[in-house]
Amino acid sequence: MKTPICNFCAKTGVLCPEDSRKLKSGQITDLDVECSVKLSKLAEKDKVLDKLTFVKALESDGDLILLFGGGNLKVLRSSQETLKKINEAFGRRVWVFEADASERKLLEEVFYPIRILTVNVVWLPDGSKLTKVILPYSRRVIEQVDENAVKRVLKTLKGIDVMIEYERRQTV
Ligand SMILES: [Zn+2]
């Protein structure tokens, strides 16, 4: 598995001069190092994870956000076992995204597997932007969406302020 630190460091958890320099300069964080080590360890026993690229980690009020390389999510989602192992290894809620995802893609991922009906951008009088996401109205959807957590994660990731609404759609 590829991580922001070299294989040796990811395996041992001890940083070489090159990776120490990255940490000191702020190019990577302690959390990136911690997650690189943990994920590499998991990847030794997980062929799916071993093929992926871990890019960066962020924290959102106790939750962990892991950013992977382009195209990685599809692979990861195909292995529920891998996702489960990741969640267990970190012992807290883990959100996974691709580091280079567009805003629209991030919205789709944060609500996965619920499908978004519409996304509207609303400009407020003070010039700030609000992203309005409309989800299908159903008890299952409402129960499944943790609105506060989703809002925090999107704010942490991209500074997106999101408003969530539910809409009943007539099925023809
Ligand atoms: Zn290193």
Side-chain angles (χ1 to χ4, degrees):
M1 147 166 246
K2 289 199 188 76
T3 73
I5 55 178
C6 71
N7 274 335
F8 176 79
C9 291
K11 288 239 152 62
T12 59
V14 181
L15 294 188
C16 65
E18 172 70 8
D19 285 326
S20 297
R21 193 188 52 74
K22 280 193 202 168
L23 183 64
K24 256 191 196 138
S25 69
Q27 204 181 327
I28 55 170
T29 63
D30 282 319
L31 187 66
D32 293 335
V33 174
E34 185 198 319
C35 294
S36 297
V37 172
K38 248 182 198 167
L39 289 169
S40 295
K41 199 171 165 84
L42 285 180
E44 282 172 19
K45 289 181 186 166
D46 189 306
K47 287 201 177 77
V48 173
L49 194 56
D50 200 34
K51 279 185 278 189
L52 306 184
T53 302
F54 165 61
V55 178
K56 181 156 194 60
L58 295 165
E59 263 171 328
S60 171
D61 199 40
D63 288 0
L64 185 64
I65 302 172
L66 299 178
L67 304 180
F68 288 89
N72 280 191
L73 271 199
K74 210 177 153 192
V75 182
L76 205 47
R77 294 243 190 261
S78 70
S79 174
Q80 286 304 314
E81 189 58 32
T82 303
L83 282 169
K84 210 177 123 200
K85 274 189 230 158
I86 292 175
N87 270 287
E88 283 170 3
F90 287 98
R92 47 177 163 160
R93 176 145 57 161
V94 178
W95 302 76
V96 291
F97 298 97
E98 286 176 7
D100 59 355
S102 65
E103 205 167 299
R104 173 70 200 217
K105 188 89 181 114
L106 289 178
L107 291 172
E108 282 169 10
E109 291 297 341
V110 86
F111 291 108
Y112 183 88
I114 298 161
R115 289 185 63 180
I116 295 173
L117 295 176
T118 317
V119 176
N120 288 317
V121 171
V122 183
W123 291 96
L124 301 178
D126 67 359
S128 62
K129 192 175 119 176
L130 191 63
T131 303
K132 193 161 103 176
V133 177
I134 301 173
L135 302 175
Y137 181 94
S138 81
R139 179 182 288 190
R140 184 187 62 85
V141 169
I142 291 168
E143 279 174 0
Q144 216 172 321
V145 176
D146 183 342
E147 288 200 20
N148 289 329
V150 163
K151 284 179 183 173
R152 272 199 316 266
V153 165
L154 290 169
K155 188 78 183 171
T156 305
L157 263 177
K158 280 266 166 108
I160 305 171
D161 287 302
V162 75
M163 191 170 115
I164 303 163
E165 286 184 0
Y166 304 87
E167 194 176 296
R168 264 180 238 272
R169 290 264 161 120
Q170 287 325 96
T171 41
V172 186

